[in-house]
Short mmCIF file of all heavy atoms in Angstrom, two decimals:
data_model
loop_
_atom_site.label_atom_id
_atom_site.label_comp_id
_atom_site.label_asym_id
_atom_site.label_seq_id
_atom_site.Cartn_x
_atom_site.Cartn_y
_atom_site.Cartn_z
N ARG A 46 65.65 -273.90 -104.62
CA ARG A 46 66.39 -274.22 -103.39
C ARG A 46 65.59 -275.20 -102.53
O ARG A 46 66.15 -276.14 -101.96
CB ARG A 46 66.70 -272.93 -102.62
CG ARG A 46 67.56 -273.16 -101.38
CD ARG A 46 68.12 -271.86 -100.84
NE ARG A 46 67.08 -270.92 -100.47
CZ ARG A 46 66.84 -269.78 -101.11
NH1 ARG A 46 67.53 -269.46 -102.21
NH2 ARG A 46 65.89 -268.96 -100.69
N PHE A 47 64.28 -274.98 -102.43
CA PHE A 47 63.42 -275.90 -101.68
C PHE A 47 63.52 -277.31 -102.27
O PHE A 47 63.68 -278.29 -101.54
CB PHE A 47 61.98 -275.41 -101.72
CG PHE A 47 60.97 -276.36 -101.15
CD1 PHE A 47 60.79 -276.47 -99.78
CD2 PHE A 47 60.20 -277.16 -101.99
CE1 PHE A 47 59.84 -277.36 -99.26
CE2 PHE A 47 59.25 -278.04 -101.48
CZ PHE A 47 59.08 -278.14 -100.10
N ALA A 48 63.43 -277.42 -103.60
CA ALA A 48 63.51 -278.73 -104.24
C ALA A 48 64.84 -279.40 -103.97
O ALA A 48 64.90 -280.61 -103.70
CB ALA A 48 63.27 -278.58 -105.74
N ARG A 49 65.94 -278.62 -104.03
CA ARG A 49 67.26 -279.21 -103.76
C ARG A 49 67.36 -279.68 -102.32
O ARG A 49 67.90 -280.76 -102.04
CB ARG A 49 68.35 -278.17 -104.04
CG ARG A 49 68.55 -277.84 -105.51
CD ARG A 49 69.86 -277.09 -105.73
NE ARG A 49 69.93 -275.84 -104.97
CZ ARG A 49 69.55 -274.66 -105.45
NH1 ARG A 49 69.03 -274.57 -106.68
NH2 ARG A 49 69.67 -273.57 -104.72
N GLU A 50 66.85 -278.89 -101.38
CA GLU A 50 66.95 -279.25 -99.97
C GLU A 50 66.11 -280.48 -99.64
O GLU A 50 66.53 -281.32 -98.85
CB GLU A 50 66.55 -278.06 -99.10
CG GLU A 50 67.55 -276.91 -99.14
CD GLU A 50 67.12 -275.74 -98.29
OE1 GLU A 50 66.00 -275.76 -97.74
OE2 GLU A 50 67.91 -274.78 -98.17
N VAL A 51 64.93 -280.57 -100.23
CA VAL A 51 64.11 -281.77 -100.00
C VAL A 51 64.85 -283.00 -100.53
O VAL A 51 64.96 -284.03 -99.86
CB VAL A 51 62.73 -281.63 -100.67
CG1 VAL A 51 62.00 -282.96 -100.67
CG2 VAL A 51 61.90 -280.57 -99.96
N ALA A 52 65.38 -282.89 -101.74
CA ALA A 52 66.05 -284.04 -102.35
C ALA A 52 67.29 -284.47 -101.58
O ALA A 52 67.56 -285.67 -101.43
CB ALA A 52 66.42 -283.71 -103.80
N SER A 53 68.04 -283.49 -101.05
CA SER A 53 69.31 -283.82 -100.40
C SER A 53 69.16 -284.09 -98.91
O SER A 53 69.86 -284.95 -98.35
CB SER A 53 70.32 -282.68 -100.62
OG SER A 53 69.86 -281.49 -100.02
N GLN A 54 68.27 -283.37 -98.23
CA GLN A 54 68.15 -283.47 -96.78
C GLN A 54 66.97 -284.32 -96.33
O GLN A 54 66.92 -284.77 -95.19
CB GLN A 54 68.03 -282.07 -96.17
CG GLN A 54 69.23 -281.18 -96.47
CD GLN A 54 69.03 -279.75 -95.98
OE1 GLN A 54 68.19 -279.47 -95.12
NE2 GLN A 54 69.79 -278.81 -96.53
N MET A 55 66.00 -284.53 -97.20
CA MET A 55 64.81 -285.32 -96.87
C MET A 55 64.55 -286.33 -97.98
O MET A 55 63.49 -286.32 -98.61
CB MET A 55 63.59 -284.40 -96.69
CG MET A 55 63.84 -283.19 -95.83
SD MET A 55 62.50 -281.96 -95.96
CE MET A 55 63.42 -280.44 -95.77
N PRO A 56 65.49 -287.20 -98.27
CA PRO A 56 65.37 -288.08 -99.44
C PRO A 56 64.13 -288.96 -99.41
O PRO A 56 63.67 -289.39 -100.48
CB PRO A 56 66.66 -288.91 -99.39
CG PRO A 56 67.16 -288.79 -97.98
CD PRO A 56 66.75 -287.43 -97.52
N ALA A 57 63.58 -289.22 -98.24
CA ALA A 57 62.37 -290.04 -98.17
C ALA A 57 61.20 -289.38 -98.88
O ALA A 57 60.25 -290.07 -99.29
CB ALA A 57 62.00 -290.30 -96.71
N LEU A 58 61.26 -288.06 -99.06
CA LEU A 58 60.18 -287.34 -99.74
C LEU A 58 60.40 -287.24 -101.24
O LEU A 58 59.57 -286.65 -101.94
CB LEU A 58 60.02 -285.93 -99.15
CG LEU A 58 59.49 -285.82 -97.73
CD1 LEU A 58 59.27 -284.36 -97.36
CD2 LEU A 58 58.17 -286.59 -97.57
N GLY A 59 61.50 -287.76 -101.74
CA GLY A 59 61.75 -287.71 -103.17
C GLY A 59 62.33 -286.38 -103.61
O GLY A 59 62.94 -285.64 -102.82
N SER A 60 62.11 -286.04 -104.86
CA SER A 60 62.68 -284.82 -105.45
C SER A 60 61.57 -284.06 -106.16
O SER A 60 61.20 -284.40 -107.30
CB SER A 60 63.79 -285.19 -106.44
OG SER A 60 64.36 -284.04 -107.01
N PRO A 61 61.01 -283.04 -105.54
CA PRO A 61 59.89 -282.33 -106.15
C PRO A 61 60.28 -281.59 -107.42
O PRO A 61 61.38 -281.05 -107.52
CB PRO A 61 59.46 -281.35 -105.05
CG PRO A 61 60.65 -281.18 -104.17
CD PRO A 61 61.36 -282.50 -104.21
N GLU A 62 59.36 -281.57 -108.36
CA GLU A 62 59.58 -280.82 -109.60
C GLU A 62 59.24 -279.36 -109.36
O GLU A 62 58.20 -279.03 -108.76
CB GLU A 62 58.70 -281.37 -110.71
CG GLU A 62 58.82 -280.62 -112.02
CD GLU A 62 57.89 -281.14 -113.09
OE1 GLU A 62 57.21 -282.16 -112.83
OE2 GLU A 62 57.83 -280.52 -114.17
#
Side-chain angles (χ1 to χ4, degrees):
R46 184 166 60 249
F47 172 80
R49 290 195 301 269
E50 290 179 355
V51 169
S53 63
Q54 300 174 19
M55 313 167 213
L58 291 185
S60 180
E62 178 183 355

